Amino acid sequence: MGRKIFVTYKYADELVHSIDTNKTTARSYVDKLQELLKDKEHINKGEEDDADLSEFKDDTIQTKLGEKIFDSSLTIIMVSKGMINPKTPEIDQWMPWEISYSLRKKNRGDRTSKPNALLAITLPDESGLYSYYIDDESCPHCKCRTLKTQKLFKIMKENMFNIKQPKYTDCPHHTTGSKVHLGQSSYIYSVKWSAFIANPEYYIDLAIKIGDNIDEYNITKLLKPEN
């Protein structure tokens, strides 16, 4: 049975690799995602860039998002190079709110839905590279990958490498501060677009499995105003 999916993304981000002769944006990849999963999943897309968040109060935002996210079990975050607007506080951008609300228990009448599983699909940048966020084989010895979480929204960073009982590799080429995690150490699993489209069911099932074990993670659900 197909799962209901909510997709959050930066609608007009053009810092992505071209996939057709028309202007390519992050939304173009969402359209491709919908085509890929159309026979298996129901997808509900997040807000477009022209929906002005500043006009909404917190309770209105929650109502608006709740209508879209309540019935979904998985939120896909389309990570793109230009998804963060550095001139606007994160609390005034839609994607952090959509991620935050996905992580909460949600009530509708006498029904309650548990937090969504989260999957971060990383889109290639203008040069077709993923290294702005995912750096494969960053250590020549243990061939580990590095996730550059400083490129993410704060609520994403706080839900990465947040497993309560972490396990690490024994690679001697990493200092204490840069130890390499083993297993599913992050509640938000990150995958490249190229890998995801090769085996979407695998990565969706993996994210759902992590979500089923949410109690093993220290979850940050709420947005915090920036100082």
Side-chain angles (χ1 to χ4, degrees):
M1 181 176 66
R3 298 186 178 90
K4 291 185 178 181
I5 295 173
F6 180 82
V7 184
T8 180
Y9 60 102
K10 181 64 174 176
Y11 185 92
D13 184 8
E14 298 180 10
L15 301 182
V16 294
H17 189 61
S18 179
I19 53 177
D20 53 39
T21 56
N22 298 318
K23 182 175 72 173
T24 300
T25 66
R27 172 56 190 263
S28 306
Y29 281 89
V30 176
D31 292 341
K32 291 293 184 182
L33 176 71
Q34 195 157 14
E35 292 174 10
L36 181 67
L37 303 179
K38 64 182 178 180
D39 296 328
K40 306 169 188 176
E41 319 288 334
H42 170 71
I43 294 180
N44 200 344
K45 296 180 286 295
E47 293 300 321
E48 298 184 6
D49 292 349
D50 58 2
D52 187 359
L53 177 59
S54 64
E55 296 180 358
F56 295 99
K57 300 291 185 182
D58 286 3
D59 55 348
T60 309
I61 293 170
Q62 293 182 24
T63 299
K64 188 176 180 70
L65 293 180
E67 293 171 354
K68 289 191 171 186
I69 299 176
F70 179 80
D71 286 329
S72 61
S73 58
L74 171 67
T75 293
I76 289 179
I77 306 165
M78 301 294 268
V79 175
S80 56
K81 189 176 179 180
M83 69 178 180
I84 297 175
N85 183 347
K87 298 180 180 179
T88 302
E90 289 190 12
I91 202 167
D92 292 328
Q93 299 183 52
W94 273 109
M95 287 185 69
W97 274 103
E98 291 167 343
I99 296 165
S100 170
Y101 202 77
S102 296
L103 287 164
R104 307 181 199 181
K105 289 183 178 179
K106 298 164 283 291
N107 299 311
R108 284 289 175 273
D110 59 353
R111 297 184 300 153
T112 300
S113 69
K114 66 179 184 178
N116 283 12
L118 294 177
L119 178 64
I121 300 178
T122 306
L123 305 182
D125 67 12
E126 318 95 300
S127 300
L129 303 176
Y130 299 90
S131 53
Y132 68 92
Y133 172 48
I134 297 178
D135 189 4
D136 284 329
E137 298 187 5
S138 56
C139 173
H141 306 282
C142 65
K143 307 298 183 183
C144 64
R145 73 171 184 169
T146 296
L147 301 180
K148 300 174 183 176
T149 58
Q150 71 273 18
K151 301 294 186 179
L152 305 176
F153 291 108
K154 185 177 180 181
I155 194 166
M156 293 182 70
K157 289 187 287 187
E158 292 179 343
N159 288 292
M160 306 288 290
F161 304 107
N162 60 332
I163 195 165
K164 293 176 181 177
Q165 297 183 350
K167 298 178 181 178
Y168 304 99
T169 69
D170 57 1
C171 178
H173 299 278
H174 291 273
T175 64
T176 300
S178 65
K179 291 191 294 185
V180 178
H181 288 74
L182 287 171
Q184 309 309 333
S185 56
S186 298
Y187 187 73
I188 303 174
Y189 187 83
S190 300
V191 59
K192 295 179 179 179
W193 170 258
S194 57
F196 176 80
I197 61 175
N199 197 351
E201 290 187 10
Y202 171 81
Y203 291 103
I204 289 172
D205 288 345
L206 177 58
I208 293 293
K209 183 178 179 180
I210 293 172
D212 288 341
N213 295 311
I214 191 171
D215 291 341
E216 297 179 7
Y217 298 84
N218 293 308
I219 301 296
T220 297
K221 301 180 180 181
L222 302 179
L223 301 179
K224 300 174 184 177
E226 299 172 24
N227 295 328

